[in-house]
Amino acid sequence: MGLMWTKGKGQLTVYLILQLLQVLGCYGNRLLQFSSPDEYLNICTDGISHKKAPGPESGLFDKCRPWKDRSCCTESLAKDIHVNKTWYKMDWSHCPQQPLSDKCRGRFIQDLCFYECSPNVGPWLVKVSGMKIRKERFVDVPLCQTECDAWWEDCRDDYTCIENWSRQFNWSSGTPQCPLGSTCKKFSEIYKSSSDFCEKVWDHSWKVVNDTTPEGCFVMWWNEGDENPNQQIAYAKARQIVSWASRITTNLSALIYCIICFFFVTMF
């Protein structure tokens, strides 16, 4: 009887610890288990089209080419990005009477290449639930103001019906449709500025920052043969996260120890 009671207490203790970790967001979250900056830079977004880890892809196509030395997308996927009119059933040109211009579509292809191919978003990844295409997404990746401005200039006279393309479409038909009552307007009428556009269109995946910010900012294109300029920025962010996590873990361990001690004293 005593042995069974002891076993029961042990199982209950494990259960309580797991519940505590789940509440704190630690249990089952790989992003909170990394202990070195390199671990953040050797992963890809957990999505249905992403590779498990970045590696070379010598034949990356057109706007995905900058990532050929170290990529989270495959050669065939990079080509599909450029030839498919939709991606995950999403059509950037969703106003039938005002189709997207070639220069604006080119910018969204460049953005999609970044999403699928970049190996540098690890420090900005967060877990998401209830999505079929991914279990993680990046949030507030620092985008250079000049990069955002160029995207804006190529799209400001194109048309859309909503601000947030990740959340505001009507998907009841299985494909994204403009919500009932919405009207297609120029981007310049929907968004207040270039920064407003870049930050809202994909639900704050990007955070527009000044090009001269000390922490640096990301670009979506660089000359072939040059080193990926986003790598050092991501490494610095990863190192900062690891430093924070080390301090938090020390305090958290002490807290968990106190909770367990209190549990044993009061229950047993």
Side-chain angles (χ1 to χ4, degrees), residues 86-199:
T86 63
W87 200 254
Y88 305 127
K89 298 183 179 181
M90 167 68 74
D91 188 348
W92 301 311
S93 188
H94 43 264
C95 290
Q97 304 304 317
Q98 297 97 3
L100 210 65
S101 65
D102 289 342
K103 62 180 181 178
C104 186
R105 176 175 288 276
R107 290 289 178 179
F108 276 98
I109 290 174
Q110 186 76 75
D111 171 73
L112 183 56
C113 282
F114 181 96
Y115 168 76
E116 296 287 0
C117 304
S118 176
N120 304 126
V121 297
W124 292 273
L125 288 176
V126 298
K127 284 192 70 173
V128 293
S129 58
M131 298 193 70
K132 295 180 180 180
I133 64 171
R134 63 191 181 198
K135 296 180 180 179
E136 295 169 349
R137 59 162 295 198
F138 55 81
V139 177
D140 285 346
V141 170
L143 180 67
C144 293
Q145 182 73 63
T146 52
E147 194 86 357
C148 173
D149 289 346
W151 189 359
W152 173 248
E153 287 302 319
D154 283 345
C155 292
R156 63 182 303 160
D157 292 327
D158 284 86
Y159 286 79
T160 184
C161 55
I162 54 173
E163 283 185 328
N164 190 322
W165 293 14
S166 294
R167 293 183 179 272
Q168 293 179 339
F169 279 118
N170 180 353
W171 284 85
S172 59
S173 65
T175 58
Q177 304 293 324
C178 289
L180 186 65
S182 64
T183 304
C184 284
K185 300 178 181 178
K186 286 186 177 182
F187 281 36
S188 57
E189 297 177 81
I190 296 286
Y191 302 102
K192 299 175 183 177
S193 64
S194 59
S195 297
D196 191 51
F197 159 65
C198 294
E199 293 180 354

Side-chain angles (χ1 to χ4, degrees), residues 23-57:
V23 170
L24 294 171
C26 299
Y27 184 65
N29 187 347
R30 66 169 183 161
L31 303 172
L32 297 178
Q33 298 171 5
F34 297 152
S35 58
S36 72
D38 288 339
E39 289 178 281
Y40 281 96
L41 302 184
N42 285 315
I43 62 168
C44 297
T45 302
D46 189 356
I48 60 174
S49 299
H50 293 81
K51 294 160 58 176
K52 296 297 182 183
E57 294 285 342

